[in-house]
Amino acid sequence: MPDVKDSAPPKNAGAESGSREPKKPGPPRKEDSGPQDPASRVTETEASKTNTKVGTNHDTHTEEKTLPPSSLESKVKETMHNDFWDHLKEQLSATPPDFSCALELLKEIREILLSLLLPRQNRLRTEIEEALDMNFLQQEADRGALNISYLSKYILNVMTLLCAPVRDEAVQKLENITDPVRLLRGIFQVLGLMKMDMVNYTIQSLQPQPQEHSIQYERAVFQELLNEQPSLLNHTTKWLTQAAADLTAPPPACPDASDSSSAAGPSPNEGAANQEPLNPAMVLSQGFLNLLLWDPENEEFPETLLTDRARLQELESQLHQLTILASVLLVASSFSGSVLFGSPQFVDKLKRITKSLLEEFNSKPEEAMQSVSEQVSQEIHQSLKTMGLAALSSDNTTSLIGQLQNIAKKENCVRSVIDQRIHLFLKCCLVLGVQRSLLDLPGGLSLIEAELAELGQKFVSLTHHNQQVFGPYYTDIIKKLISPSQAVKTKVESL
């Protein structure tokens, strides 16, 4: 059997698509649909039509249909699947074993693996065809010598080479399964996900040309409306004016200096202390960040971003949840030390507990944080005991619970610092990109690196497309906001 490790190319086809989380675009909700003047409503309607006509959703993807667990279709499907795997187990357990179902399964797995290859991967294609040659495998089965475990290991090696990074963990978990039927079932499930990754990769690779067309079309439609209604950019101008003002304003002071701020360190200074002259990219980045803090009651939403408002609100909600989560982890780590938080398993468990208890944070912050404080302190106490470490004193336990409960307050210093630092990270993402920004995370954010990467990618993707469409309008507006002396220093150029 060929050894794929020496000759197969590195991961490629699905490697990028697998890490991109699908976004959930949609029209703004009725109660916060933006400016109420007729011109703005026309803009929103026309922009929505444009999105529908030319597919401006740059996050187009496909995903596996998920059926409600209680639905009849779901129950029937699950029953059929279970029957198949039960039948396979009976066949392999028989004396002598019956390999008929196993051969059908291996044949399908072979076809899936071949479908995941790129045209240039001829050598790997040949190896898979030889290793899973169905005529040879049929002969082995007839002799009762078909080695399912060996073939499964080979298939896992190929999957490791071809899967997207997001599937690495799933494939690694399969390596620990010894039961042949469970292993084949797991392989088949993960291969289904890899097929979906390949489809999404193909969609993404085909998008640049349609996107370029949609960018030009969107801009042309907006320009026609702007010619008829010159006031269409009023709210956009106010939005960018505020962004420029924010860049020259002093940063807010933290009111709660007695809290656990020492654990987080000094907050980043993004205000007046930064004496760099303004430039269009800085102003626009600040403007995009301000959208994540937008007051729902403020109807003067930028006209150029109306169709993205629902998605921006979703990102704002995710940012808020990450702020609370990171604050909890930061306070907890200051009490439990590096031993516990050096364990990925402990951190993951603490994150799962905290996330589940924060579901009602928006409506009942105090109650939610009380539950979080109790569960987190209990987990720390139990883990210290399990590892044979000294337990927290009663004073430290009381202090830990109190500081966790204080995170419910908007003015809490740890929460304020974490919030500022997540915004700083997102700002870096707009300038440097997500991957480079992850290399130098602000203090206190390393424990939520994976969640930040997801948030950053969504935010950059949304803002990048918007800037491609409306960049010329933003440049004209920002040029008027920058003083002549600054314009000379920065050599203001088009965005």
Side-chain angles (χ1 to χ4, degrees):
M1 185 173 293
D3 185 358
V4 299
K5 289 186 178 179
D6 294 330
S7 57
K11 299 180 185 182
N12 38 54
E16 292 298 325
S17 66
S19 60
R20 296 176 61 89
E21 285 295 324
K23 303 176 178 64
K24 300 174 182 177
R29 295 192 300 271
K30 186 174 182 180
E31 65 269 22
D32 55 13
S33 58
Q36 296 302 306
D37 58 280
S40 295
R41 288 201 297 271
V42 171
T43 303
E44 182 179 1
T45 302
E46 292 297 328
S48 298
K49 288 180 180 178
T50 302
N51 276 342
T52 302
K53 289 178 73 173
V54 297
T56 61
N57 177 17
H58 42 289
D59 305 312
T60 302
H61 70 282
T62 183
E63 54 187 353
E64 188 176 10
K65 179 183 178 183
T66 303
L67 299 171
S70 59
S71 68
L72 178 61
E73 185 178 355
S74 175
K75 292 178 180 178
V76 171
K77 184 176 180 181
E78 183 181 2
T79 300
M80 292 176 63
H81 283 188
N82 290 336
D83 288 346
F84 171 81
W85 296 110
D86 289 342
H87 184 56
L88 176 63
K89 185 173 183 178
E90 289 177 4
Q91 286 191 341
L92 296 181
S93 301
T95 305
D98 181 352
F99 294 109
S100 55
C101 277
L103 285 171
E104 289 299 319
L105 191 62
L106 289 170
K107 181 179 180 181
E108 190 160 354
I109 288 174
R110 175 182 183 270
E111 295 306 314
I112 294 175
L113 290 176
L114 292 175
S115 72
L116 296 175
L117 298 177
L118 295 176
R120 65 173 181 271
Q121 294 178 288
N122 294 322
R123 185 172 181 179
L124 183 55
R125 182 181 300 276
T126 300
E127 289 180 353
I128 294 173
E129 290 173 344
E130 291 178 356
L132 297 176
D133 180 274
M134 297 313 298
N135 290 330
F136 175 76
L137 296 182
Q138 181 66 62
Q139 295 173 14
E140 292 289 287
D142 293 341
R143 294 193 301 111
L146 188 64
N147 193 331
I148 298 295
S149 297
Y150 185 72
L151 291 170
S152 298
K153 184 177 180 180
Y154 172 81
I155 292 167
L156 283 178
N157 286 338
V158 178
M159 291 170 65
T160 301
L161 294 172
L162 297 178
C163 72
V166 73
R167 307 300 174 200
D168 281 342
E169 184 178 355
V171 175
Q172 289 170 5
K173 287 181 179 179
L174 294 178
E175 295 174 356
N176 299 323
I177 300 176
T178 55
D179 179 75
V181 175
R182 282 187 59 221
L183 179 56
L184 286 172
R185 186 169 190 170
I187 285 173
F188 204 70
Q189 289 173 342
V190 176
L191 281 174
L193 298 175
M194 291 172 61
K195 284 176 61 179
M196 202 67 63
D197 293 338
M198 174 57 82
V199 171
N200 287 330
Y201 169 80
T202 304
I203 291 173
Q204 293 294 334
S205 66
L206 294 174
Q207 276 192 332
Q209 186 173 355
Q211 279 191 20
E212 179 60 31
H213 174 74
S214 72
I215 288 168
Q216 300 299 330
Y217 187 87
E218 278 187 86
R219 190 183 299 159
V221 170
F222 188 84
Q223 184 60 52
E224 289 180 9
L225 294 169
L226 187 61
N227 292 339
E228 298 174 4
Q229 300 286 343
S231 63
L232 278 181
L233 286 172
N234 282 359
H235 296 332
T236 301
T237 301
K238 289 182 180 179
W239 164 60
L240 292 175
T241 301
Q242 182 60 53
D246 291 342
L247 288 172
T248 57
C254 178
D256 187 8
S258 63
D259 214 325
S260 297
S261 55
S262 58
S267 61
N269 189 341
E270 300 179 64
N274 183 359
Q275 296 300 320
E276 292 184 22
L278 295 179
N279 64 61
M282 289 169 57
V283 175
L284 187 58
S285 294
Q286 183 63 42
F288 284 138
L289 287 170
N290 287 349
L291 295 173
L292 298 177
L293 300 170
W294 199 267
D295 181 0
E297 302 299 322
N298 184 355
E299 296 180 346
E300 295 185 351
F301 202 79
E303 298 90 343
T304 54
L305 283 142
L306 282 172
T307 56
D308 290 317
R309 187 169 188 176
R311 295 171 65 203
L312 284 164
Q313 288 175 333
E314 182 184 342
L315 293 180
E316 180 184 0
S317 176
Q318 292 181 20
L319 188 154
H320 181 63
Q321 292 174 357
L322 285 186
T323 298
I324 305 301
L325 175 62
S327 301
V328 169
L329 296 175
L330 186 59
V331 170
S333 66
S334 69
F335 281 88
S336 52
S338 59
V339 177
L340 284 186
F341 275 78
S343 167
Q345 293 79 10
F346 174 78
V347 174
D348 288 343
K349 185 176 183 180
L350 216 59
K351 286 165 73 171
R352 289 196 302 271
I353 291 172
T354 304
K355 287 177 181 178
S356 65
L357 294 175
L358 289 178
E359 291 180 356
E360 296 186 2
F361 183 90
N362 289 337
S363 58
K364 302 175 181 178
E366 289 81 10
E367 291 87 338
M369 288 312 303
Q370 181 175 351
S371 299
V372 168
S373 65
E374 293 171 356
Q375 287 293 319
V376 167
S377 62
Q378 182 178 333
E379 283 300 323
I380 291 175
H381 175 76
Q382 184 60 44
S383 297
L384 289 173
K385 181 179 179 180
T386 302
M387 299 178 70
L389 301 174
L392 293 180
S393 67
S394 58
D395 288 344
N396 281 342
T397 301
T398 301
S399 181
L400 168 62
I401 292 175
Q403 291 195 33
L404 288 174
Q405 290 179 352
N406 283 338
I407 295 174
K409 302 175 182 177
K410 292 182 179 180
E411 65 273 13
N412 175 264
C413 192
V414 173
R415 178 174 165 180
S416 298
V417 170
I418 291 295
D419 183 66
Q420 291 173 21
R421 291 184 174 185
I422 293 179
H423 278 85
L424 176 58
F425 165 75
L426 292 175
K427 193 172 197 175
C428 290
C429 288
L430 293 177
V431 178
L432 303 175
V434 177
Q435 295 305 316
R436 286 182 62 186
S437 301
L438 289 171
L439 296 176
D440 189 21
L441 282 175
L445 301 186
S446 59
L447 294 176
I448 58 167
E449 180 177 345
E451 291 85 355
L452 284 176
E454 177 186 340
L455 178 66
Q457 188 61 55
K458 290 180 179 180
F459 187 52
V460 169
S461 179
L462 185 153
T463 57
H464 177 68
H465 180 79
N466 182 269
Q467 182 176 333
Q468 285 183 306
V469 176
F470 299 105
Y473 303 105
Y474 295 150
T475 299
D476 289 343
I477 293 171
I478 295 172
K479 280 182 178 180
K480 298 174 184 177
L481 300 176
I482 298 178
S483 65
S485 59
Q486 287 180 323
V488 172
K489 291 179 182 179
T490 58
K491 297 181 181 179
V492 175
E493 299 176 351
S494 176
L495 287 163

